[in-house]
Amino acid sequence: MATSSPSQRIGVVGYGHLGQYLVERILKDGAPLGLTLAFVWNRNSDKLKGLVPDELILGDLSFFADRRCDVIVEVCHPQIVKDFGNQFLAQSHLLVGSPSALSDPDLNQKLRQAAQLHGRTLYVPSGALWGGQDIQRLNDSGGLKALFIRMSKHPSCFRLTGDVLSDWTEGEGRRVLFRGSGEIVSDTALSDFHVVEVEVTGPAGFSVHTVRRNPAKLGAVTGSATYNSFWNSLVVCKGHGGRVYLC
């Protein structure tokens, strides 16, 4: 006889397209998987009225701990990770849906330390990153020598603060927004896809270069193939110790 999985209480922070998808999946398909919805928060709580049961709407994110979540899913904005990431990890596991926040080395280090201190897992979903778990295994074995990732989207598909990209014009072509161990690129030619390129270098001349084209409409922050991938990531968030885990 099959036994049910221990219940995991999930808090969802953000109610854009991806947040809506996750909330609907948890309410529809979560019970057999041991997933229950603890709360939903959105910058504009009025957007939730009539779509999310009133008792599940969290008006003030600073009171998230009252909902006693096992996993908090951030699908809002990197600033939320910066403002609340440490607090989230003090209470629950954290699935970061805005992984660009981790490009800040100080924040990255603080979140890693918080995860270790509290015995929580900082989950980074593979999302559009093809082969992410293979890369993690190569790194865990000490074989990863170099890694380069480039993500390119149409400028309408970014949600950036300040004046970054505020002056883009159709037909301008490529513009590199960030360059470090990877690149984030705005490209007006990408009207139908988001493109993620990954270059991996291992021992003894081993290398892999992948290019993933993820169908996406103009203005879509998340490509269509990423939704189900993110759901699969959430399902495995059962706790993997005080560390970062690519799922």
Side-chain angles (χ1 to χ4, degrees), residues 178-197:
F178 172 84
R179 180 179 282 114
S181 57
E183 287 184 355
I184 299 176
V185 177
S186 165
D187 189 344
T188 54
L190 298 178
S191 58
D192 298 309
F193 297 91
H194 297 168
V195 178
V196 179
E197 301 170 70

Side-chain angles (χ1 to χ4, degrees), residues 96-151:
V96 177
S98 302
S100 60
L102 304 179
S103 65
D104 179 337
D106 291 334
L107 178 60
N108 190 314
Q109 183 63 23
K110 288 178 180 177
L111 294 177
R112 288 173 180 270
Q113 290 173 344
Q116 185 174 25
L117 175 65
H118 300 290
R120 309 290 185 178
T121 305
L122 175 62
Y123 288 101
V124 181
S126 57
L129 180 60
W130 193 256
Q133 291 177 326
D134 291 321
I135 296 170
Q136 178 170 298
R137 283 192 287 267
L138 184 63
N139 182 62
D140 290 344
S141 68
L144 182 63
K145 303 304 180 184
L147 173 65
F148 178 83
I149 301 170
R150 177 187 293 117
M151 175 173 283

Side-chain angles (χ1 to χ4, degrees), residues 70-82:
D70 297 291
V71 181
I72 291 179
V73 182
E74 176 279 315
V75 283
C76 183
H77 191 276
Q79 189 64 40
I80 293 295
V81 182
K82 182 177 181 179

Side-chain angles (χ1 to χ4, degrees), residues 81-93:
V81 182
K82 182 177 181 179
D83 293 343
F84 286 91
N86 283 353
Q87 299 175 54
F88 289 158
L89 285 166
Q91 302 291 331
S92 65
H93 306 302

Side-chain angles (χ1 to χ4, degrees), residues 155-173:
S156 67
C157 298
F158 289 96
R159 296 291 181 270
L160 303 174
T161 58
D163 295 329
V164 180
L165 267 186
S166 62
D167 61 342
W168 76 271
T169 57
E170 199 62 68
E172 73 174 39

